[in-house]
Amino acid sequence: MFAFLLFVSDAQNAFKVRLSIKTALGDNAYAWDANEEYLFKAMVAFTMRRYSTKTTTQISNVLLCNVTDRVSFWFVVTDSSKNTTTVPGSEVEAAIRMNRNRINNAFLLSDKTLQFLKISSTLAPPVEPSTPVWLIVFGVVLCLIVAAIVFLVVAGIQQRKKKNKESTERENLEEKGEVTITIENGIPCETLDLKAGHINGVFSADDERFTSL
């Protein structure tokens, strides 16, 4: 009767809780009984004491009312120094929000399956990558630089090999004394055979014209 009067007179400090144990755990769902109610009271008392070191909330200061089979109920927290008054709802809400994960873990539930209807769900802390973002960016840039250096080195080696091959082929042709045709100013010119020599047709014609008698 005393608890009911507190709920009626201080309704703004009362909170409704709804648990979906079957939905969350399926075949492993546990029954809500007096032991579970005791655990809930203990967790609320724990959150109040952890929220403020000056608070001396006891399990007996957490009162439950209108417990249903589905499972839902209302609760209030009374002031440990004045059992006739309730703790302001703003303090209870702040304490619940600060320790929401601890309460969820105690009942193997989550914000969706253990609902404080007047208290908004807590946001999960942002997931931080194990490797800092700047280090990832630095690694990518370093890999691109290394890849560019390797490409330039390989291209330089291939170009050098190509030039060496062309130079070797040219030397081989000169050693064999073969005549090649080169283009100078758009006019094909013969390269002289250094070993066998080459007779210029112009001077040959002149020699025949003057030597014949």
Side-chain angles (χ1 to χ4, degrees):
M1 183 65 180
F2 171 70
F4 176 76
L5 292 176
L6 284 177
F7 280 104
V8 173
S9 61
D10 292 328
Q12 70 274 15
N13 296 329
F15 295 89
K16 185 174 183 179
V17 180
R18 181 182 295 137
L19 293 87
S20 303
I21 302 173
K22 185 70 175 179
T23 300
L25 303 178
D27 294 337
N28 297 322
Y30 51 83
W32 186 262
D33 53 21
N35 293 327
E36 300 299 331
E37 290 183 8
Y38 181 87
L39 177 59
F40 180 83
K41 293 178 181 179
M43 290 304 301
V44 173
F46 163 78
T47 60
M48 296 302 300
R49 295 169 72 98
R50 192 164 185 262
Y51 172 71
S52 175
T53 56
K54 296 180 180 180
T55 301
T56 57
T57 304
Q58 305 295 327
I59 295 177
S60 59
N61 295 123
V62 182
L63 305 178
L64 272 60
C65 183
N66 295 339
V67 180
T68 65
D69 295 335
R70 289 196 59 97
V71 177
S72 67
F73 53 85
W74 289 80
F75 78 94
V76 291
V77 181
T78 60
D79 191 332
S80 57
S81 60
K82 302 176 183 179
N83 287 333
T84 58
T85 60
T86 59
V87 176
S90 58
E91 294 185 17
V92 177
E93 179 177 355
I96 295 295
R97 285 178 60 85
M98 187 180 75
N99 298 278
R100 188 67 180 269
N101 289 336
R102 297 291 295 274
I103 298 174
N104 290 346
N105 292 337
F107 296 97
L108 306 177
L109 301 176
S110 65
D111 285 3
K112 293 182 178 180
T113 52
L114 197 168
Q115 297 174 301
F116 292 82
L117 301 188
K118 287 171 56 178
I119 302 176
S120 58
S121 300
T122 53
L123 296 177
V127 178
E128 296 183 358
S130 56
T131 306
V133 176
W134 68 267
L135 187 58
I136 297 176
V137 175
F138 175 78
V140 172
V141 173
L142 183 61
C143 290
L144 292 176
I145 294 175
V146 171
I149 293 174
V150 171
F151 174 77
L152 292 176
V153 171
V154 172
I157 293 175
Q158 292 179 344
Q159 188 175 4
R160 190 177 297 109
K161 288 182 177 180
K162 184 178 180 181
K163 289 182 178 180
N164 291 339
K165 183 178 180 181
E166 292 176 353
S167 177
T168 302
E169 291 177 352
R170 190 180 301 110
E171 291 177 356
N172 291 337
L173 291 175
E174 291 177 355
E175 290 178 358
K176 293 179 179 179
E178 296 180 357
V179 178
T180 58
I181 304 299
T182 58
I183 304 297
E184 294 183 3
N185 296 327
I187 302 175
C189 301
E190 293 182 350
T191 302
L192 295 179
D193 187 341
L194 299 179
K195 289 185 176 181
H198 187 76
I199 299 176
N200 193 315
V202 176
F203 294 102
S204 175
D206 290 343
D207 292 341
E208 291 177 357
R209 178 163 52 86
F210 291 106
T211 56
S212 58
L213 295 176

